[in-house]
Amino acid sequence: MKEVLNRRTVTVAVCIFLAGMGFSIIMPILPYYADAFDASAFQVGLLMAVYALCQLIFSPWWGALSDRVGRKPIIILGLLGYAITFIWFAFADSLVMLFIARALGGVLACAALPTAMASMADLSSEEDRGRAMGLAGASIGMGMIFGPALGGLLSSVSLGFPFLVAGLLALANAIAVIFFLEEPLPAERRSPKLKKQQTLFLRGLRTPIALFLVVMFLASTSETTHQGVFALYAKGLLDIDSVRIGWAFTVAGLVSALAQMMLIGPLLARWREEKVIGVGLAFIVLAFLLYTHATGFLQLIIFMGIYALGIALVRPSLNAAASRRTTMEQGQTMGTLQSFESLGRVIGPCVGGILLDVALPLPYYWAAAVAAIALLALCIKGDLRAVTAEEGAQR
């Protein structure tokens, strides 16, 4: 792990951490936004989905642009966009303003994450790629720890205050990147021209990483169905307040971060990425089925830990698999991967909100079914064998 940890990778990891925190900070506050702006569960889902829709459209373009002009300026632009739009979100006084701020945030903030993921690939050797992506995944996991905890605790000041704090942290991180991050992509390795955005999204389906793009889409749909409805589900089922909902997400983030720091490197050295992804998807299916039988807050916490373990295995393994086997540039690869993830983030919260308005357990049956389809696709098309000694040496 020492080979992976240095000033540049740590700086990039902080950017990824902020991206995870920015998405998750809204989760424990959702039911109270719904009450404050008279929004239905479907409208709350849309509030999450509009951010992801903008990421879907713009992530490949930002990733490809970073292949041409370098990673550092795109990361800075993304962090500044993140800061401005979150501060705007904090002072919004209507549901329309929330949607506008969230949409603009999706356009700008999504420049940071795929570019930061591509930077991790730039800064790591082939044999350290799995550990580097594990560090990136752990950073997202840590963001998922602090985001909900921050959202839950600071919401006692006001509903907008957590977003103001997140925006100011992003601004501080942008300043840190300006002064402390050396450009990860040398000029001689940059792409000479910018490819069309539509080509990037479709091109990935004609490359060796097509399976991973599809699995990312399905896993993201399942995951964000849960993220979009959990607060409303827990409130409706057990009348849980925002602070306890925040701590539930915090437990998930802690489990995810620890698993990615301690398990991903050894598992990817022993198993192929497909096998690690498959085990993670099985945990996710199990967790969502268990949610439908929860009768108390402690059970929800335990089931959240099982879900978080699954996500911890799936995400960095997908990133590592795509990074290793791509025939595209790293920026394009990570931007395209995030686009498929964002497509899931559009569909998951919207469908989850619709189903939650019908009956409480329905979103979790849907989420379990989608994750099971991803697992089935992996079993049919993936290579689930263990890594051989020769392949392990090459890694």
Side-chain angles (χ1 to χ4, degrees):
M1 193 68 178
K2 289 182 179 179
E3 297 85 353
V4 175
L5 287 175
N6 55 61
R7 190 179 72 176
R8 293 195 292 177
T9 57
V10 169
T11 304
V12 172
V14 172
C15 300
I16 297 172
F17 161 79
L18 280 174
M21 187 177 71
F23 182 80
S24 64
I25 198 171
I26 194 174
M27 294 173 188
I29 313 171
L30 282 177
Y32 308 96
Y33 263 98
D35 290 340
F37 296 100
D38 296 322
S40 66
F42 174 63
Q43 289 174 315
V44 173
L46 281 179
L47 190 61
M48 298 181 68
V50 70
Y51 188 85
L53 178 62
C54 293
Q55 287 185 322
L56 166 67
I57 296 170
F58 287 94
S59 286
W61 188 83
W62 286 122
L65 184 63
S66 76
D67 286 327
R68 184 182 183 191
V69 304
R71 313 292 189 212
K72 183 174 178 177
I74 304 303
I75 291 175
I76 293 170
L77 179 63
L79 288 171
L80 290 175
Y82 177 113
I84 292 168
T85 56
F86 262 69
I87 292 171
W88 181 2
F89 198 89
F91 292 102
D93 57 4
S94 69
L95 192 60
V96 172
M97 292 299 291
L98 290 180
F99 273 103
I100 294 173
R102 199 69 175 158
L104 185 59
V107 172
L108 296 175
C110 73
L113 186 56
T115 309
M117 296 298 292
S119 297
M120 278 297 193
D122 295 329
L123 296 172
S124 61
S125 62
E126 185 72 20
E127 58 270 21
D128 287 330
R129 189 66 49 80
R131 285 189 289 271
M133 292 306 175
L135 173 62
S139 301
I140 294 177
M142 291 298 290
M144 296 292 287
I145 292 174
F146 287 99
L150 199 65
L153 293 174
L154 298 184
S155 64
S156 60
V157 178
S158 74
L159 290 178
F161 190 59
F163 301 99
L164 176 61
V165 172
L168 293 175
L169 287 174
L171 181 61
N173 189 223
I175 295 171
V177 169
I178 292 172
F179 289 103
F180 297 113
L181 180 64
E182 299 174 15
E183 173 57 54
L185 185 65
E188 62 272 14
R189 290 170 51 196
R190 296 177 191 174
S191 176
K193 62 180 181 179
L194 188 65
K195 294 181 174 62
K196 290 183 179 180
Q197 171 189 342
Q198 296 88 343
T199 304
L200 289 173
F201 186 80
L202 297 176
R203 181 185 172 193
L205 294 174
R206 300 191 295 269
T207 70
I209 67 169
L211 173 64
F212 305 119
L213 296 177
V214 172
V215 171
M216 174 62 88
F217 160 67
L218 293 171
S220 176
T221 300
S222 177
E223 177 190 5
T224 55
T225 297
H226 160 67
Q227 291 175 344
V229 305
F230 175 75
L232 294 169
Y233 177 78
K235 184 184 179 186
L237 187 69
L238 302 170
D239 195 26
I240 294 175
D241 60 25
S242 64
V243 175
R244 284 199 290 171
I245 290 172
W247 285 119
F249 277 113
T250 298
V251 168
L254 182 60
V255 171
S256 180
L258 289 175
Q260 289 180 88
M261 288 188 289
M262 299 173 64
L263 293 179
I264 285 300
L267 285 178
L268 290 180
R270 187 182 185 92
W271 294 343
R272 295 176 188 275
E273 288 91 349
E274 291 92 332
K275 190 169 185 178
V276 180
I277 296 166
V279 172
L281 288 169
F283 277 117
I284 293 170
V285 173
L286 174 63
F288 289 161
L289 291 177
L290 288 172
Y291 269 117
T292 63
H293 299 285
T295 57
F297 182 63
L298 180 60
Q299 287 183 334
L300 286 180
I301 291 288
I302 294 171
F303 302 157
M304 184 73 92
I306 297 172
Y307 148 79
L309 178 59
I311 289 297
L313 298 180
V314 169
R315 282 193 170 281
S317 301
L318 278 171
N319 288 327
S323 177
R324 286 178 188 275
R325 303 177 200 185
T326 186
T327 54
M328 302 185 292
E329 289 87 353
Q330 290 293 338
Q332 292 177 17
T333 299
M334 293 304 160
T336 304
L337 194 66
Q338 186 174 346
S339 276
F340 278 84
E341 178 186 4
S342 296
L343 182 59
R345 290 188 182 278
V346 172
I347 295 173
C350 291
V351 174
I354 292 172
L355 294 176
L356 191 71
D357 282 333
V358 176
L360 280 180
L362 285 182
Y364 284 102
Y365 286 123
W366 151 263
V370 173
I373 293 171
L375 179 58
L376 181 62
L378 201 65
C379 290
I380 293 173
K381 294 291 186 179
D383 187 348
L384 304 183
R385 296 175 297 158
V387 174
T388 65
E390 183 177 329
E391 289 171 329
Q394 291 176 352
R395 289 174 176 233

